[in-house]
Amino acid sequence: MTLIKYKYIAVLIAMSVLACGCGSQSTENQVKEADETQAEEAERAAGETQAEEAEQAAGETQKTEDVQATIEEGTASGEKKEMFGEDCIAEQCFEVELNGCEGTVYFVPFAPSAGQPEFRMQMMREGEVLCDITPYVSAKAGRKKFTSLDAVSFWDVNFDGFTDIVTIVTYGDMQYAAVYYGDMFQSEEEYWSFMSEEELSENLSAQADRPMTIAGIRSQLTGGKKNGEFESYVQAYEAAITLSELEGVAASVTEYGGEFLFDLIYVNEDEIPELVSGREGYFVNLYTYQDGTLYTLMNHWAYGAMGNSGYEYSPGKNSMRNYNADQAGAIMNTYYMRINEKNEIETPMWIESINYIDSNENGVLDEGEEYGAGPDYINGEKVSPEEVEAVYAAYDMGDYQYIKGRMPVEDVRKALKSY
């Protein structure tokens, strides 16, 4: 065999070995790629399985919670029907905090029934009726029957310190709002009442978005602010002005008598003015503001009749005064008032002067009794004329002006903006 032939054979063997080596490497790569693909698919499958299991578990948990909530709701509904009767609207029965009312109080509405064919409401305390509430039925509802009580809420709508009620009801297919102002009178025992505000209810309903919501009504009244959340006295007084407009009393309507006017005055020493509103010769409202809260100092205080000449204030001195004559001037009462730390009006001094000779001492000007200087009383205690003079000197601050409105609504809004 020649050298050339050996070289040729060696080349062939080398090429064969090289080819075998390449094939082996390719196969290994293919196996590796296949293994990686299988691992990825397995990992993805495992992830999808875990996600499905988690989703299924979450769904089952939510279903369990929904069932539990339904059970609890049903239990609560059953308990309320047990407490108040089968015709109570259980989902709208609420425990309520009434300002100044002790004990556990519930608001309880009743659907029409065979025994009571009309929708009705009550406040109940310790199982007894605290007061009945006559539902307001809009004249626009006509002869439509009660359909549902859609929502109810409780807050001090008119800022007078008493809890009020706001409801959304449906008669037939007509939905409207009804507002009830709460009040409490104390004589031998406390007496609670909730009176419907017809014009306020009608105006709120006319301007509300549909479907109506409690949040929407609050937005109409105060821009969504709760009392205590006002950012300034300007914002708080705007809420009081808006309420007057929605109540209808701010309109210049002759049946109310006098024009409804506003003013900004400084009763006490601080730099925040008080807001006045009312109809001159009929009634006056007075509001003040502190730390986010609007306070009603005078709420429709009447004057102009029965010997009441009105209410005065001495600017910046926290002194208010009122003269009130009884029995055609036979008795003169002088009241000195001020704003206390609770933002309430208190009366530290009351002077009663008897201007006739009360021969039989029965407290009434009788036939045959003559006018003349009689006894004086301070806060109900009989005193000498000198003591009365000393009180006048101590309490009378001078420069008194009447608390009354002096500008229309558009002017008071301009004034507030300038402040």
Side-chain angles (χ1 to χ4, degrees):
M1 187 176 296
T2 64
L3 180 59
I4 294 173
K5 190 178 285 189
Y6 277 121
K7 287 183 177 179
Y8 177 72
I9 293 170
V11 171
L12 289 175
I13 292 170
M15 291 177 65
S16 176
V17 170
L18 184 60
C20 288
C22 288
S24 175
Q25 183 66 41
S26 176
T27 302
E28 286 176 4
N29 288 340
Q30 290 174 0
V31 170
K32 186 177 180 181
E33 289 175 2
D35 289 343
E36 289 175 352
T37 301
Q38 289 176 355
E40 288 174 1
E41 290 177 351
E43 186 178 349
R44 184 168 58 252
E48 289 175 354
T49 302
Q50 288 176 356
E52 288 174 2
E53 289 175 351
E55 187 177 348
Q56 184 178 0
E60 289 174 355
T61 301
Q62 184 62 50
K63 186 176 180 181
T64 302
E65 290 176 355
D66 290 344
V67 170
Q68 184 64 32
T70 302
I71 292 170
E72 290 175 359
E73 186 178 337
T75 302
S77 178
E79 288 174 354
K80 287 176 181 175
K81 286 186 176 293
E82 214 172 291
M83 290 171 65
F84 307 120
E86 282 298 318
D87 57 342
C88 80
I89 305 173
E91 65 274 16
Q92 300 292 3
C93 293
F94 296 103
E95 186 176 338
V96 184
E97 262 189 50
L98 296 184
N99 300 28
C101 187
E102 297 180 356
T104 304
V105 178
Y106 278 92
F107 168 78
V108 186
F110 296 91
S113 62
Q116 296 282 351
E118 301 296 333
F119 168 60
R120 58 197 176 94
M121 300 175 289
Q122 292 178 335
M123 283 290 183
M124 300 191 74
R125 178 173 61 181
E126 310 297 339
E128 296 184 355
V129 177
L130 184 65
C131 67
D132 290 296
I133 305 166
T134 303
Y136 171 62
V137 182
S138 172
K140 296 176 182 178
R143 297 184 179 180
K144 296 176 181 179
K145 297 295 184 182
F146 172 82
T147 302
S148 60
L149 175 59
D150 306 319
V152 60
S153 190
F154 311 89
W155 77 86
D156 184 6
V157 174
N158 62 343
F159 314 105
D160 68 348
F162 291 103
T163 305
D164 306 315
I165 304 172
V166 179
T167 65
I168 299 173
V169 294
T170 300
Y171 274 71
D173 58 353
M174 178 185 172
Q175 188 182 57
Y176 63 90
V179 180
Y180 304 84
Y181 281 169
D183 204 354
M184 190 268 283
F185 306 93
Q186 188 80 45
S187 53
E188 294 181 1
E189 59 183 37
E190 65 185 48
Y191 173 75
W192 283 87
S193 68
F194 290 88
M195 304 299 293
S196 62
E197 291 294 311
E198 297 184 11
E199 195 146 7
L200 174 59
S201 301
E202 289 294 333
N203 288 332
L204 284 171
S205 301
Q207 298 175 25
D209 294 330
R210 297 296 193 275
M212 297 178 68
T213 64
I214 293 296
I217 292 172
R218 190 186 286 277
S219 181
Q220 288 175 261
L221 289 165
T222 64
K225 297 287 186 181
K226 295 180 181 179
N227 202 12
E229 296 178 349
F230 292 115
E231 296 169 10
S232 66
Y233 70 83
V234 174
Q235 194 177 72
Y237 291 167
E238 175 58 37
I241 294 168
T242 297
L243 180 63
S244 295
E245 291 177 313
L246 287 167
E247 285 177 332
V249 295
S252 298
V253 182
T254 54
E255 64 181 284
Y256 289 109
E259 187 178 2
F260 195 91
L261 298 172
F262 298 85
D263 200 7
L264 293 165
I265 64 175
Y266 289 90
V267 175
N268 53 16
E269 307 89 343
D270 63 27
E271 297 180 356
I272 297 175
E274 277 66 48
L275 174 69
V276 179
S277 67
R279 294 187 181 278
E280 186 173 1
Y282 290 84
F283 66 88
V284 65
N285 303 311
L286 183 64
Y287 303 91
T288 194
Y289 169 89
Q290 185 178 23
D291 298 333
T293 300
L294 177 64
Y295 297 90
T296 302
L297 299 171
M298 297 179 178
N299 184 22
H300 279 64
W301 280 26
Y303 70 97
M306 306 297 292
N308 187 341
S309 59
Y311 309 94
E312 302 171 292
Y313 76 105
S314 183
K317 296 177 182 176
N318 197 14
S319 177
M320 290 170 281
R321 185 177 67 185
N322 170 244
Y323 293 122
N324 200 329
D326 289 335
Q327 299 183 40
I331 300 174
M332 175 62 73
N333 294 287
T334 304
Y335 301 93
Y336 286 100
M337 301 167 286
R338 65 187 176 203
I339 303 172
N340 65 19
E341 294 179 353
K342 296 180 180 179
N343 287 301
E344 301 169 336
I345 287 185
E346 63 181 14
T347 306
M349 187 55 60
W350 161 43
I351 303 169
E352 183 180 39
S353 298
I354 308 301
N355 298 318
Y356 66 97
I357 309 303
D358 190 8
S359 304
N360 56 9
E361 297 184 349
N362 67 349
V364 178
L365 177 62
D366 295 313
E367 188 177 350
E369 293 181 334
E370 298 180 357
Y371 282 92
D376 295 308
Y377 298 85
I378 294 177
N379 293 341
E381 298 290 331
K382 192 173 181 179
V383 295
S384 67
E386 292 76 19
E387 288 174 296
V388 172
E389 288 300 320
V391 167
Y392 277 125
Y395 279 86
D396 202 302
M397 299 297 175
D399 191 28
Y400 284 90
Q401 303 173 27
Y402 278 106
I403 300 172
K404 64 178 184 177
R406 291 177 172 83
M407 62 181 88
V409 63
E410 57 271 16
D411 288 349
V412 75
R413 282 192 165 120
K414 288 178 184 176
L416 282 171
K417 285 181 180 178
S418 70
Y419 277 84

